[in-house]
Amino acid sequence: MVGGFNTNIRYRGHIFHVQTEDGGKESPSIITLLYSGGAILFSKKTSCANQVTNADREVVVRQLMEAQHSAMVQALKSGKLDDKLGLVSPDAPAAEFGAGVITRRSLDEVVLAHLANR
């Protein structure tokens, strides 16, 4: 089993933790988890079953782990995970006032719809 990688990243006012682990020969996979406040927000799992019998397994798996860990860190820093994490891009246009709230229905129709859904 290859030792794992851990990186803390401050991004958009939050501290995220990226952890990558080798599942070993019993569970041949590389798992990268993105945490915030102890909660798993995003994960990536890659099989490395084809490396179980490889004599250079540890070297190859370490390289795969480094690549996957680095890709997760870069995806976070570049904003590629913002939508999945519920983070708003500072470049995103502001929503129009009342978007999703303003309706063409009358007040009576809105109240009746609300009461019907109770």
Side-chain angles (χ1 to χ4, degrees):
M1 183 180 287
V2 178
F5 300 100
N6 292 282
T7 304
N8 289 324
I9 302 161
R10 184 178 303 273
Y11 178 70
R12 294 191 187 243
H14 301 278
I15 295 182
F16 295 94
H17 180 78
V18 178
Q19 179 180 40
T20 301
E21 297 180 331
D22 171 23
K25 291 181 181 178
E26 301 79 33
S27 179
S29 58
I30 296 168
I31 303 163
T32 301
L33 302 170
L34 176 64
Y35 294 90
S36 181
I40 298 171
L41 305 176
F42 192 73
S43 66
K44 167 93 172 147
K45 184 175 183 178
T46 304
S47 173
C48 54
N50 59 341
Q51 299 299 324
V52 171
T53 58
N54 185 342
D56 295 326
R57 179 191 182 282
E58 287 196 15
V59 172
V60 173
V61 169
R62 176 165 297 283
Q63 291 171 345
L64 293 170
M65 288 173 64
E66 287 174 356
Q68 184 165 304
H69 188 84
S70 181
M72 179 75 78
V73 169
Q74 290 306 313
L76 176 64
K77 287 181 173 182
S78 70
K80 290 180 181 175
L81 300 177
D82 284 4
D83 287 343
K84 292 177 176 151
L85 300 176
L87 300 173
V88 178
S89 170
D91 299 330
E96 185 178 331
F97 178 77
V101 177
I102 297 175
T103 178
R104 297 197 187 283
R105 296 184 296 171
S106 71
L107 178 60
D108 289 342
E109 291 171 318
V110 171
V111 170
L112 286 173
H114 173 75
L115 292 174
N117 291 325
R118 289 181 107 189

PDB file of all heavy atoms in Angstrom, residues 2-3 13 18 26 45 62 69-70 77 79 90 104 113:
ATOM      1  N   VAL A   2       0.513   2.182  -0.822  1.00  0.00           N
ATOM      2  CA  VAL A   2       1.268   3.427  -0.953  1.00  0.00           C
ATOM      3  C   VAL A   2       0.682   4.460   0.007  1.00  0.00           C
ATOM      4  O   VAL A   2      -0.535   4.574   0.131  1.00  0.00           O
ATOM      5  CB  VAL A   2       1.196   3.951  -2.404  1.00  0.00           C
ATOM      6  CG1 VAL A   2       1.936   5.263  -2.550  1.00  0.00           C
ATOM      7  CG2 VAL A   2       1.748   2.912  -3.375  1.00  0.00           C
ATOM      8  N   GLY A   3       1.554   5.220   0.692  1.00  0.00           N
ATOM      9  CA  GLY A   3       1.085   6.275   1.597  1.00  0.00           C
ATOM     10  C   GLY A   3       0.313   7.335   0.846  1.00  0.00           C
ATOM     11  O   GLY A   3       0.532   7.562  -0.345  1.00  0.00           O
ATOM     12  N   GLY A  13     -12.787  31.929   0.624  1.00  0.00           N
ATOM     13  CA  GLY A  13     -13.168  32.099   2.028  1.00  0.00           C
ATOM     14  C   GLY A  13     -13.427  30.805   2.777  1.00  0.00           C
ATOM     15  O   GLY A  13     -13.851  30.845   3.927  1.00  0.00           O
ATOM     16  N   VAL A  18      -7.984  18.136   0.653  1.00  0.00           N
ATOM     17  CA  VAL A  18      -7.956  17.116  -0.393  1.00  0.00           C
ATOM     18  C   VAL A  18      -7.112  15.957   0.140  1.00  0.00           C
ATOM     19  O   VAL A  18      -5.987  16.161   0.596  1.00  0.00           O
ATOM     20  CB  VAL A  18      -7.358  17.648  -1.708  1.00  0.00           C
ATOM     21  CG1 VAL A  18      -7.310  16.545  -2.758  1.00  0.00           C
ATOM     22  CG2 VAL A  18      -8.164  18.830  -2.216  1.00  0.00           C
ATOM     23  N   GLU A  26      -5.935  -5.371  -1.814  1.00  0.00           N
ATOM     24  CA  GLU A  26      -7.259  -5.939  -1.494  1.00  0.00           C
ATOM     25  C   GLU A  26      -8.387  -5.146  -2.142  1.00  0.00           C
ATOM     26  O   GLU A  26      -9.432  -5.696  -2.474  1.00  0.00           O
ATOM     27  CB  GLU A  26      -7.483  -5.964   0.032  1.00  0.00           C
ATOM     28  CG  GLU A  26      -6.456  -6.762   0.802  1.00  0.00           C
ATOM     29  CD  GLU A  26      -5.140  -6.000   0.996  1.00  0.00           C
ATOM     30  OE1 GLU A  26      -5.164  -4.768   1.128  1.00  0.00           O
ATOM     31  OE2 GLU A  26      -4.091  -6.664   0.984  1.00  0.00           O
ATOM     32  N   LYS A  45     -12.807   8.227  -7.747  1.00  0.00           N
ATOM     33  CA  LYS A  45     -12.266   6.894  -7.518  1.00  0.00           C
ATOM     34  C   LYS A  45     -11.829   6.305  -8.851  1.00  0.00           C
ATOM     35  O   LYS A  45     -12.586   6.323  -9.813  1.00  0.00           O
ATOM     36  CB  LYS A  45     -13.323   5.992  -6.865  1.00  0.00           C
ATOM     37  CG  LYS A  45     -12.820   4.621  -6.499  1.00  0.00           C
ATOM     38  CD  LYS A  45     -13.899   3.837  -5.757  1.00  0.00           C
ATOM     39  CE  LYS A  45     -13.386   2.488  -5.306  1.00  0.00           C
ATOM     40  NZ  LYS A  45     -14.410   1.757  -4.547  1.00  0.00           N
ATOM     41  N   ARG A  62       1.881   5.319  -7.070  1.00  0.00           N
ATOM     42  CA  ARG A  62       2.245   6.626  -6.513  1.00  0.00           C
ATOM     43  C   ARG A  62       2.114   7.711  -7.591  1.00  0.00           C
ATOM     44  O   ARG A  62       1.584   8.790  -7.339  1.00  0.00           O
ATOM     45  CB  ARG A  62       3.658   6.629  -5.948  1.00  0.00           C
ATOM     46  CG  ARG A  62       4.081   8.021  -5.453  1.00  0.00           C
ATOM     47  CD  ARG A  62       5.298   8.015  -4.591  1.00  0.00           C
ATOM     48  NE  ARG A  62       5.149   7.293  -3.352  1.00  0.00           N
ATOM     49  CZ  ARG A  62       4.498   7.737  -2.271  1.00  0.00           C
ATOM     50  NH1 ARG A  62       3.912   8.920  -2.311  1.00  0.00           N
ATOM     51  NH2 ARG A  62       4.406   7.022  -1.180  1.00  0.00           N
ATOM     52  N   HIS A  69      -4.446  13.437  -7.348  1.00  0.00           N
ATOM     53  CA  HIS A  69      -4.480  14.423  -6.264  1.00  0.00           C
ATOM     54  C   HIS A  69      -4.295  15.834  -6.833  1.00  0.00           C
ATOM     55  O   HIS A  69      -5.067  16.748  -6.524  1.00  0.00           O
ATOM     56  CB  HIS A  69      -3.374  14.097  -5.244  1.00  0.00           C
ATOM     57  CG  HIS A  69      -3.442  14.921  -4.003  1.00  0.00           C
ATOM     58  ND1 HIS A  69      -4.251  14.607  -2.939  1.00  0.00           N
ATOM     59  CD2 HIS A  69      -2.794  16.061  -3.655  1.00  0.00           C
ATOM     60  CE1 HIS A  69      -4.097  15.499  -1.987  1.00  0.00           C
ATOM     61  NE2 HIS A  69      -3.211  16.404  -2.397  1.00  0.00           N
ATOM     62  N   SER A  70      -3.297  15.975  -7.686  1.00  0.00           N
ATOM     63  CA  SER A  70      -3.008  17.269  -8.304  1.00  0.00           C
ATOM     64  C   SER A  70      -4.181  17.754  -9.158  1.00  0.00           C
ATOM     65  O   SER A  70      -4.529  18.938  -9.138  1.00  0.00           O
ATOM     66  CB  SER A  70      -1.749  17.158  -9.159  1.00  0.00           C
ATOM     67  OG  SER A  70      -1.443  18.385  -9.741  1.00  0.00           O
ATOM     68  N   LYS A  77      -9.026  24.890  -7.449  1.00  0.00           N
ATOM     69  CA  LYS A  77      -8.439  26.226  -7.590  1.00  0.00           C
ATOM     70  C   LYS A  77      -8.884  26.954  -8.858  1.00  0.00           C
ATOM     71  O   LYS A  77      -8.965  28.175  -8.881  1.00  0.00           O
ATOM     72  CB  LYS A  77      -6.915  26.134  -7.587  1.00  0.00           C
ATOM     73  CG  LYS A  77      -6.320  25.840  -6.237  1.00  0.00           C
ATOM     74  CD  LYS A  77      -4.801  25.804  -6.361  1.00  0.00           C
ATOM     75  CE  LYS A  77      -4.116  25.673  -5.037  1.00  0.00           C
ATOM     76  NZ  LYS A  77      -2.642  25.686  -5.196  1.00  0.00           N
ATOM     77  N   GLY A  79     -11.802  26.703 -10.274  1.00  0.00           N
ATOM     78  CA  GLY A  79     -13.238  26.981 -10.267  1.00  0.00           C
ATOM     79  C   GLY A  79     -14.075  25.929 -10.964  1.00  0.00           C
ATOM     80  O   GLY A  79     -15.297  26.056 -11.052  1.00  0.00           O
ATOM     81  N   PRO A  90     -17.219  34.869  -9.005  1.00  0.00           N
ATOM     82  CA  PRO A  90     -17.293  36.328  -8.922  1.00  0.00           C
ATOM     83  C   PRO A  90     -17.539  36.966 -10.292  1.00  0.00           C
ATOM     84  O   PRO A  90     -17.989  38.098 -10.383  1.00  0.00           O
ATOM     85  CB  PRO A  90     -15.916  36.729  -8.380  1.00  0.00           C
ATOM     86  CG  PRO A  90     -15.028  35.598  -8.712  1.00  0.00           C
ATOM     87  CD  PRO A  90     -15.899  34.357  -8.721  1.00  0.00           C
ATOM     88  N   ARG A 104     -46.445  35.889 -13.170  1.00  0.00           N
ATOM     89  CA  ARG A 104     -47.538  36.572 -13.862  1.00  0.00           C
ATOM     90  C   ARG A 104     -48.897  36.164 -13.279  1.00  0.00           C
ATOM     91  O   ARG A 104     -49.924  36.672 -13.689  1.00  0.00           O
ATOM     92  CB  ARG A 104     -47.495  36.262 -15.357  1.00  0.00           C
ATOM     93  CG  ARG A 104     -46.234  36.780 -16.023  1.00  0.00           C
ATOM     94  CD  ARG A 104     -46.404  36.835 -17.534  1.00  0.00           C
ATOM     95  NE  ARG A 104     -45.175  37.179 -18.220  1.00  0.00           N
ATOM     96  CZ  ARG A 104     -44.669  38.390 -18.302  1.00  0.00           C
ATOM     97  NH1 ARG A 104     -45.278  39.389 -17.715  1.00  0.00           N
ATOM     98  NH2 ARG A 104     -43.549  38.616 -18.952  1.00  0.00           N
ATOM     99  N   ALA A 113     -52.450  28.057  -4.925  1.00  0.00           N
ATOM    100  CA  ALA A 113     -51.422  27.061  -5.237  1.00  0.00           C
ATOM    101  C   ALA A 113     -50.648  26.687  -3.983  1.00  0.00           C
ATOM    102  O   ALA A 113     -50.353  25.514  -3.738  1.00  0.00           O
ATOM    103  CB  ALA A 113     -50.490  27.585  -6.324  1.00  0.00           C
TER     104      ALA A 113
END
